[in-house]
Amino acid sequence: MGGRVAMLAKHYDAIPSDENDDVEEQTRPFQSPRGGRDASSSSANTKSSANNIVSSFAMGCAVSLAAFGVASTALSSSSFTSSSTFSRRRQNRRRRRRRTNEKNAKTTTTLISNDAKENDNDDNDNGNNDNSSSSSSSNRRKEPDAIVSVKLDQDGQRDYPIYIGSELVKERGDLLRKHIKGETVLIVTNESVAPLYLEKVKESLLLSSSSKSLRIESVVLPDGEEHKNLDVLDLIFEKALDARLDRKTTFIALGGGVIGDMTGFAASAYQRGVNFIQIPTTVMAMVDSSVGGKTGVNHKKGKNMIGAFYQPQCVFVDIDSLDSLPEREYNSGIAEVIKYGLIRDAKFFDWIEQNADKLQKKAIDRKSLVYAIQRSCENKAEVVELDEKESGLNVRATLNLGHTFGHAIETGVGYGEYLHGEAVSIGTAMAADLSFRLGWIDENLQTRTVDLLKRFDLPIEVPRGSMTKEKFMDLMAVDKKASQGKMNFILLKGDLGGCVFTGDFDQTKLRETLESFVDGRISR
């Protein structure tokens, strides 16, 4: 009989207990197949069914034992023994489950605690004290929309990136920091840009994780092309010397083309050369002057006549800075964008024509703007890679479409009277006119050139009474592109996207162009 009692104990162990039902409901929500009963009523019914099963099973066993002639006292004793065994085993299962649940709870708490600490660290690294922001938001890394590489050497030692995007100054001080070799920085900016962006750049640099010991100095220059001279340049040197900046200092140009040119030139000369970074804040600087390493200042007898080729460590183009740029200055930079399409990128010119409305300052499509800047930088980088210092190849010289005429206008009318891009726009219209007079382009291309400039409210005429033909000739004779007493021009030739650098053409056509623009008789 002892064997039969043992079998009863095994049968009891195989029956799901109330404890199992409770655990099942704690770990898995009840789903009624009919949707008419809730979890609590179902739990009660389930427990009742289990009890009925146990009772029925016990009664059956009792009847069976009675049939075999087992005395009631023996059955009672055996049933008590079996019930005690079942109770102990059920209690042991409860204790095991309780220990497992407590262990899991501790593990979960540890993971949550570690995640909270990591989020707190991320907030501290980013200078973010806003408890309402989510951890995923604080951990999100703002990436540039585009990166253009300027390749200068086969070994890549002097190559540098152009980062293009929005919120870069605010979010990506670490990108700037990795191009700063030492622990001191001199930010050069002007009176217009400083109130808007100087402190933002400083804060971004200091908040970057590796910039804790960075020392930042700054100098604020007067704003405008008329201040691009040796006297104002000396203010940069005075600041650097007063602050006792060493050769491991990095100069940062924060501003438009004037600031970029002057900062680069100062960096090339200070202690025979220190690193510098460009943070352009105008379209002109973003698409042209910040890329390629041309630096310098003006002289009263000629524009950019004193300077050096000196490449930056990187160019940091944050298009958000254009939000504060006046429309006139914005449009001035578009003249350089159009230039790339005319001299070497016909598809880009077509794209600008088709998307001119999206590039208007009053209704900028930011995606289109990023592409326009990116494609302009790619064109500039490709030319610089082929001819960094305007050698005998004359490849880089082609970037000066309209500049021979334009520089003469800037100098003749007076620095600051016209923005650089505005003077280049007039010069581009004059170059297209001369190209058409020479029979090198058709009338359609000349018309398309002038019409696209006009869509951005750019000037295409020489101001009446400001210039004479003789004044043009005198000023263009000392242009940097002049060689052996001969004036050289970049002129359009052939299909859209084609140009030449030359001084070999019918000079009577040049005089005709000058006369028509000086007298206001433009051929178009």
Side-chain angles (χ1 to χ4, degrees), residues 304-359:
N304 292 331
M305 296 303 293
I306 304 170
F309 287 97
Y310 199 68
Q311 301 291 346
Q313 297 298 304
C314 75
V315 181
F316 207 66
V317 177
D318 190 335
I319 64 171
D320 291 344
S321 64
L322 299 180
D323 293 343
S324 59
L325 190 69
E327 184 176 9
R328 180 187 173 194
E329 290 193 44
Y330 175 91
N331 290 338
S332 172
I334 296 294
E336 295 283 0
V337 177
I338 294 171
K339 172 194 71 180
Y340 291 115
L342 286 170
I343 64 171
R344 66 189 318 270
D345 196 341
K347 290 183 178 180
F348 186 39
F349 187 90
D350 292 339
W351 180 88
I352 299 169
E353 284 185 318
Q354 296 164 9
N355 293 274
D357 291 342
K358 296 180 180 180
L359 295 175

Side-chain angles (χ1 to χ4, degrees), residues 37-260:
R37 293 181 296 176
D38 59 16
S40 60
S41 64
S42 176
S43 176
N45 292 338
T46 302
K47 291 178 181 179
S48 176
S49 298
N51 291 334
N52 291 337
I53 293 172
V54 173
S55 299
S56 299
F57 186 82
M59 291 177 63
C61 290
V63 171
S64 298
L65 289 172
F68 281 94
V70 180
S72 61
T73 55
L75 176 60
S76 175
S77 175
S78 299
S79 297
F80 176 78
T81 301
S82 175
S83 177
S84 298
T85 302
F86 167 72
S87 178
R88 284 196 302 273
R89 294 185 179 182
R90 184 169 63 182
Q91 291 174 356
N92 289 337
R93 285 197 297 271
R94 285 177 176 174
R95 283 194 291 269
R96 286 196 298 271
R97 291 190 183 96
R98 189 180 300 112
R99 285 195 297 269
T100 300
N101 290 337
E102 289 174 354
K103 182 178 179 181
N104 290 338
K106 290 180 180 178
T107 302
T108 303
T109 302
T110 302
L111 291 174
I112 293 173
S113 176
N114 289 338
D115 287 343
K117 289 180 180 178
E118 289 175 2
N119 290 337
D120 287 342
N121 290 336
D122 288 339
D123 287 345
N124 292 335
D125 287 345
N126 292 320
N128 183 5
N129 295 320
D130 185 1
N131 294 326
S132 65
S133 62
S134 65
S135 60
S136 61
S137 176
S138 65
N139 291 334
R140 190 176 297 117
R141 192 183 183 93
K142 179 66 179 180
E143 297 297 336
D145 294 310
I147 302 176
V148 177
S149 295
V150 181
K151 302 183 182 300
L152 300 170
D153 301 315
Q154 290 185 348
D155 59 8
Q157 291 297 313
R158 295 190 304 126
D159 296 356
Y160 59 90
I162 305 169
Y163 302 107
I164 307 169
S166 60
E167 296 185 342
L168 297 184
V169 167
K170 177 183 177 182
E171 302 289 345
R172 297 308 306 271
D174 59 304
L175 277 181
L176 276 178
R177 183 63 179 94
K178 78 175 189 176
H179 295 285
I180 297 172
K181 308 305 181 185
E183 298 298 326
T184 55
V185 164
L186 175 62
I187 301 176
V188 183
T189 187
N190 64 37
E191 297 166 336
S192 299
V193 175
L196 299 171
Y197 304 112
L198 178 56
E199 292 305 318
K200 291 181 180 179
V201 173
K202 288 182 179 181
E203 182 180 6
S204 183
L205 282 171
L206 292 174
L207 287 177
S208 61
S209 58
S210 60
S211 299
K212 304 304 181 185
S213 61
L214 191 66
R215 174 188 167 202
I216 302 177
E217 300 286 347
S218 62
V219 57
V220 180
L221 306 181
D223 186 17
E225 185 79 27
E226 64 271 25
H227 300 294
K228 187 180 175 183
N229 54 53
L230 290 171
D231 291 336
V232 176
L233 179 73
D234 192 51
L235 297 177
I236 302 176
F237 295 130
E238 286 186 6
K239 178 63 180 182
L241 291 169
D242 288 345
R244 298 184 179 181
L245 302 182
D246 59 26
R247 298 185 71 179
K248 293 184 179 180
T249 298
T250 296
F251 286 10
I252 295 180
L254 175 62
V258 172
I259 288 295

Side-chain angles (χ1 to χ4, degrees), residues 287-288 291-292 294 336 339-340 343-344 376 379-384 387-388 390 394-403 420 424 481 490 499 501:
V287 303
D288 184 60
V291 181
K294 277 190 176 182
E336 295 283 0
K339 172 194 71 180
Y340 291 115
I343 64 171
R344 66 189 318 270
S376 296
N379 274 293
K380 181 72 176 280
E382 290 169 6
V383 171
V384 172
D387 185 14
E388 180 185 357
E390 290 190 11
N394 291 327
V395 176
R396 183 162 185 173
T398 60
L399 294 172
N400 289 303
L401 174 69
H403 285 57
H420 175 63
V424 168
K481 293 175 289 300
I490 293 84
C499 69
F501 172 79

